[in-house]
Amino acid sequence: MNINLTLIGQVIAFFGFVWFCMKFVWPPIIAAMQEREKKIADGLAAADRASHDLELAQEKALERLKEAKHEAAGIVDSANKRASQIVEEAKTAAITEAERVKTAARAEIEQETNRAREALRAQVAALTLAGAEKVLGATIDQDAHADLVNKLAAEL
Amino acid sequence: MAGENQTVSEYIVHHLTNLTYGKLPAGYERYDGSIVGDGGAWVMAHGGAEAAAMGFTAIHVDSMAWSIGLGILFSWLFYRVAKKASSGVPSGLTSAVEMIVQFVDNTVRDTFHGRNPLIAPLSLTIFVWIFLMNLMDLVPVDVVPELMMALGVEYHKIVPSTDPNITFGMAIGVLILILYYSIKVKGFGFARELAMNPFNHPLFIPVNLFMEIVGLLAKPFSLALRLFGNMYAGEMIFILIAALFSAGLAWMVPAGLLQIGWAIFHILVITLQAFIFMVLTIVYLSMAHEDH
């Protein structure tokens, strides 16, 4: 337990190791640790921001979805309206067409009837003439009695 | 136990003697009867008496070797980590080292409020180095001395911090730093602080000087003696328990249990002592930086 040169040796060793530590050990380790700390902090901040962004995006998506739904409903609505309108239009068109066809048919019928009546009348006139000829026993002059016959036919 | 025909006190003394290399004074009669010639002689001391006769011109080879060896171990270990330190994911040794660095850094931040790039690495060196030196205490007391005996080395003490030279050496290192920073930061104010405190009157300068210088010197003194005392006592108890093994077979089991118990308790002591040395160093240097 003597105090001797070991004391001096230890003082020198002490400063040597402290110097080494200060020069080569401490700065790189502490720098790496601080850098990592910063990295982690940045990472956490980024994660926070990302989750916030996600929330915003979700909100936006929801909004868009609602809008799209609304729009779709509108489109369907107007389509329905248009469809019923088209049906209505078709109905009225069909009715008018039917009317038109009916009128045309009726006119034709009338015409046919008239024509048949004319023919019938002519035939009746001829027949009457023939009958009268037979009755009178003489030939009626076709030309001379045409007026008479025609009058008769018109009265039929 | 070393040697069969050794008494317990011889065993204890043997375990507490450093391997000393030094200069014996001229005319000294050595253990084998030979007389040291003119001009003295540099030899390995044989026993405590010769080591004492060497006085200051001697060196404890074992303390010095273990102390520097452990310092190199610390430097190498931490340098290896420092070289590949990156901000990536740490693993194994790196995270262990970073944990210690973080711990020291926090302690320094809590205690030292100035800006000084020396304080933190100084604290780290003190903490880990002293811890490693104290850790040698947990090596069973007989292992290394017996091994060295087999190799022909007579004495060997492997715990450098049970050598007052080592603890005082570190404390003197701290004292030098205290003085350096006191003068650097305060300049002439340091002298005024020594002379004019606590009694601010020219008449009291001698009293003040005496008190302040005693206070200043008490710092490294208490540092060194606290560490030395704790480690020396701990080592002593290990040796005493080890001596119990020689008391017969019946003592083997209790001695073994005592050894384990004391070793477990000592884990706390060695860490605590290293920590206390570090914290007090920071506190003293912090005081050196503060201008009153």
Side-chain angles (χ1 to χ4, degrees):
Chain A
M1 225 183 291
N2 316 298
I3 293 293
N4 54 30
L5 285 173
T6 316
L7 187 73
I8 312 291
Q10 181 69 7
V11 174
I12 295 166
F14 174 78
F15 281 110
F17 288 125
V18 168
W19 172 81
F20 182 84
C21 183
M22 187 173 109
K23 201 85 186 162
F24 299 108
V25 174
W26 186 266
I29 292 183
I30 208 78
M33 282 166 66
Q34 273 163 359
E35 201 185 313
R36 183 177 317 123
E37 215 165 272
K38 196 176 159 298
K39 230 179 183 178
I40 291 173
D42 286 355
L44 286 178
D48 258 3
R49 217 167 29 242
S51 77
H52 185 69
D53 282 357
L54 183 67
E55 217 167 273
L56 275 184
Q58 259 167 356
E59 234 164 68
K60 208 178 261 177
L62 220 63
E63 209 169 286
R64 283 295 275 279
L65 204 64
K66 221 188 274 174
E67 230 168 71
K69 252 182 202 162
H70 192 71
E71 219 166 279
I75 288 172
V76 167
D77 225 33
S78 70
N80 274 343
K81 228 179 265 170
R82 178 98 188 93
S84 58
Q85 198 181 344
I86 287 172
V87 167
E88 276 308 308
E89 268 171 22
K91 219 185 254 172
T92 39
I95 286 169
T96 26
E97 178 70 10
E99 278 306 312
R100 201 183 57 76
V101 168
K102 222 156 73 183
T103 344
R106 208 169 268 157
E108 206 169 325
I109 288 169
E110 196 111 330
Q111 231 172 345
E112 281 303 309
T113 312
N114 283 346
R115 201 178 297 143
R117 200 177 277 159
E118 286 301 315
L120 210 57
R121 195 179 284 156
Q123 261 175 359
V124 166
L127 274 177
T128 314
L129 210 58
E133 230 175 278
K134 275 218 175 110
V135 168
L136 295 176
T139 314
I140 302 167
D141 185 4
Q142 194 88 38
D143 300 324
H145 302 288
D147 279 348
L148 191 72
V149 173
N150 278 350
K151 216 179 272 170
L152 199 69
E155 272 170 22
L156 278 174
Chain B
M1 268 194 75
E4 291 305 315
N5 45 7
Q6 208 179 19
T7 67
V8 170
S9 73
E10 273 171 1
Y11 169 76
I12 292 171
V13 166
H14 173 265
H15 270 282
L16 290 177
T17 307
N18 281 105
L19 179 66
T20 314
Y21 180 76
K23 186 183 175 194
L24 279 174
Y28 184 79
E29 187 185 341
R30 297 208 64 189
Y31 67 102
D32 54 1
S34 59
I35 306 287
V36 175
D38 283 342
W42 285 90
V43 287
M44 280 288 179
H46 183 88
E50 284 194 4
M54 286 169 178
F56 194 74
T57 51
I59 191 156
H60 290 159
V61 180
D62 46 3
S63 293
M64 213 64 254
W66 281 99
S67 156
I68 292 174
L70 291 168
I72 288 172
L73 176 70
F74 152 71
S75 301
W76 172 75
L77 210 64
F78 277 62
Y79 181 60
R80 239 184 51 166
V81 171
K83 244 193 337 193
K84 56 178 185 184
S86 75
S87 58
V89 181
S91 61
L93 181 67
T94 312
S95 39
V97 163
E98 286 190 357
M99 224 167 74
I100 298 171
V101 170
Q102 184 82 67
F103 166 68
V104 172
D105 195 42
N106 284 341
T107 313
V108 172
R109 263 175 226 283
D110 287 345
T111 319
F112 187 81
H113 300 297
R115 274 192 174 277
N116 191 333
L118 173 81
I119 305 298
L122 170 78
S123 308
L124 178 70
T125 312
I126 286 177
F127 180 63
V128 181
W129 196 15
I130 291 181
F131 176 77
L132 287 174
M133 290 198 282
N134 292 352
L135 191 66
M136 289 297 112
D137 219 358
L138 294 182
V139 177
V141 283
D142 274 341
V143 173
V144 180
E146 290 283 307
L147 214 69
M148 285 304 188
M149 280 277 245
L151 292 173
V153 179
E154 218 174 329
Y155 297 100
H156 208 90
K157 237 173 102 181
I158 62 164
V159 193
S161 44
T162 58
D163 184 344
N165 287 298
I166 298 296
T167 60
F168 273 103
M170 301 190 79
I172 288 173
V174 173
L175 175 67
I176 291 172
L177 287 175
I178 291 174
L179 292 176
Y180 173 73
Y181 282 113
S182 290
I183 293 167
K184 190 182 167 197
V185 173
K186 299 174 201 162
F188 184 69
F190 180 53
R192 197 169 51 227
E193 198 180 295
L194 286 182
M196 291 305 193
N197 265 329
F199 305 113
N200 197 358
H201 192 278
L203 267 180
F204 278 105
I205 285 179
V207 180
N208 289 340
L209 266 181
F210 174 73
M211 287 174 74
E212 285 293 308
I213 286 172
V214 166
L216 187 69
L217 293 181
K219 289 173 185 174
F221 226 80
S222 65
L223 269 185
L225 282 182
R226 180 182 303 108
L227 179 60
F228 165 70
N230 274 284
M231 298 322 294
Y232 192 78
E235 176 81 346
M236 189 66 129
I237 289 173
F238 272 123
I239 294 170
L240 287 175
I241 295 171
L244 267 185
F245 284 105
S246 66
L249 268 179
W251 275 101
M252 287 285 182
V253 175
L257 288 177
L258 275 174
Q259 196 79 288
I260 292 172
W262 182 241
I264 291 172
F265 179 65
H266 218 57
I267 294 175
L268 179 71
V269 174
I270 61 174
T271 319
L272 200 62
Q273 286 308 318
F275 179 68
I276 289 173
F277 201 109
M278 173 184 86
V279 167
L280 285 179
T281 303
I282 303 170
V283 169
Y284 293 156
L285 283 173
S286 166
M287 282 160 73
H289 280 73
E290 269 161 24
D291 226 334
H292 293 291

